[in-house]
Structure formats: structure tokens, C-alpha cells
Amino acid sequence: MLVAAADARAQSSATGVPNAMQGFSQNRDQPIQIEAASLEMRDKKKEATFTGNVKVVQGDTTMTSKVLVVFYESKDQTAPPPPANAKSVKSAPAPMPAAAPGPGGSSSIKRLEAKGNVVVTQKDQVVTGETAVFDTKTNLITMSGGVVLTQCQNVLRGDRLLVDMTTGVSRVESDSGKVNGLFLNQSSSQGCAQASTGAAAPLALPGASGKPK
């Protein structure tokens, strides 16, 4: 078993860390489906708020949260009509920026904010946090609030996870000066043998600032 921690005086970071959030970039050409208990449209503010067991699915990547707020720009100055008593809302992928889940139609998505117990899953990888912001202008995803990345039995913790949707590069940051990771070797991960084959190496904090203990 290998235990690693990256130390720094102010802020510590680890780059190149594989995680479930990258699935939105890898599946950018896949259709997007959003399910929620309710949908509220605010045309003047150009906002759409999904609430109640929100679930976003794109390819093999799934994100759940309590609330999902979509900020959009209407190309024809009209908002997409809200479905009556929406329980399942599907969005058309064609007009959407790459890897940006949200309502389709004639609108252009500017920003998405997932709030409350955000969980993103792709295959054997899971990342959790309190909020996740998708900025389609910069093509950057930022998850914050006690971020935990897991792959099988490997665990990495930090304050923020930043994913560049253009390059696919991820960075985990910590304000406390520590990005903590627990990585098990292949012999210790028999329960996830296929997924953990070769997985321990890329999770060994490449590019982490400070010296591992």
C-alpha cells in the first residue's frame, strides 16, 4: 500500500489526475439527457432551474445533484418553452457547446451550476463535491466543496477540481497545503482488477507541488 501527500506552504495542486468529470469531454458528441422532478424557466433572467433528484446523462457519464441551474442566451430572443409538470427533460445535443449539459432548442448555454451533493460517475471513477460549475465560454469545469476522487480503492482529496474541457487536463487544488491521496497497488485491488490495471501509476500525483512524504 502506498500513501502519498503533497505539501506546500500556501496552495498545493496535483495535475494530470484521471477522474470521472473528464467523461463530459470524452463524450462531447453524445446526446445529453436531463431528468428532474421539476423545471422552472425565468425568461427575463435567462435561467432554467432543475430541482429534485436531478440527473444528467451523457454517454457513460452520469451526474446527480439536488439542483441544476442553466444560464442561457436565446439566439432568437425566445426561451425554450417549459414542459408541463416536467419529470424528464431531454435536451438536443446539436446546438450545445461541447460537453455542456442543459436545455437545447434555440438557446446557447453560457454556464451551468450543479448544487448540493454533486456526484459524477464514469465507469469505475467517481468524483463528489458540493458544487460544480460548467463555464462554456472558457470550457472549464470547477468542482468545489470537499472534493473526493475515487477509482476502485484509490482515493484523492482536495478543495477543488478543475477540468479543462479543451485539453482534457485536470488539476486538484488544496488551500490547506495538502492534496491527500491513498493509492493501493494491484495486488491490494483484486476487487477491481480490470479497472486498476495500470491505474495506480497515473494516480501517483503527477505534477504535484511540494515533495511527497
Side-chain angles (χ1 to χ4, degrees):
M1 181 176 67
L2 173 64
V3 180
D7 296 330
R9 293 182 179 180
Q11 186 183 87
S12 180
S13 65
T15 59
V17 181
N19 60 87
M21 193 67 80
Q22 291 173 321
F24 286 114
S25 178
Q26 298 167 3
N27 295 307
R28 64 180 62 190
D29 295 328
Q30 297 294 317
I32 298 165
Q33 177 177 311
I34 301 178
E35 298 178 359
S38 63
L39 169 61
E40 179 179 290
M41 305 291 294
R42 297 184 179 183
D43 186 26
K44 292 184 178 180
K45 292 185 177 182
K46 295 295 184 288
E47 294 180 11
T49 302
F50 298 85
T51 57
N53 299 320
V54 180
K55 182 179 181 181
V56 179
V57 180
Q58 187 178 31
D60 61 358
T61 304
T62 301
M63 180 177 72
T64 59
S65 63
K66 294 181 179 179
V67 178
L68 177 67
V69 183
V70 180
F71 302 88
Y72 61 90
E73 296 172 325
S74 295
K75 295 180 180 179
D76 59 0
Q77 301 304 314
T78 59
N85 300 322
K87 290 187 177 181
S88 177
V89 181
K90 295 185 179 181
S91 58
M96 299 291 297
S106 60
S107 61
S108 175
I109 305 303
K110 297 191 302 182
R111 179 184 176 94
L112 299 99
E113 297 181 0
K115 305 175 182 179
N117 192 25
V118 181
V119 180
V120 180
T121 305
Q122 186 198 29
K123 298 179 181 178
D124 64 317
Q125 296 179 337
V126 180
V127 56
T128 62
E130 281 303 310
T131 62
V133 176
F134 296 72
D135 190 329
T136 64
K137 300 298 183 182
T138 61
N139 230 16
L140 180 70
I141 303 177
T142 304
M143 177 176 274
S144 57
V147 175
V148 180
L149 295 80
T150 60
Q151 183 179 32
C152 299
Q153 300 182 57
N154 300 323
V155 181
L156 185 63
R157 301 175 185 272
D159 293 316
R160 284 178 304 280
L161 168 65
L162 297 91
V163 180
D164 189 320
M165 303 295 286
T166 302
T167 64
V169 175
S170 300
R171 184 171 74 252
V172 179
E173 296 181 346
S174 175
D175 296 327
S176 64
K178 290 184 178 181
V179 175
N180 296 313
L182 173 63
F183 310 121
L184 305 180
N185 57 33
Q186 294 184 15
S187 61
S188 300
S189 305
Q190 296 178 359
C192 195
Q194 291 183 341
S196 62
T197 301
L203 279 174
L205 299 182
S209 59
K211 296 180 179 180
K213 291 183 179 180

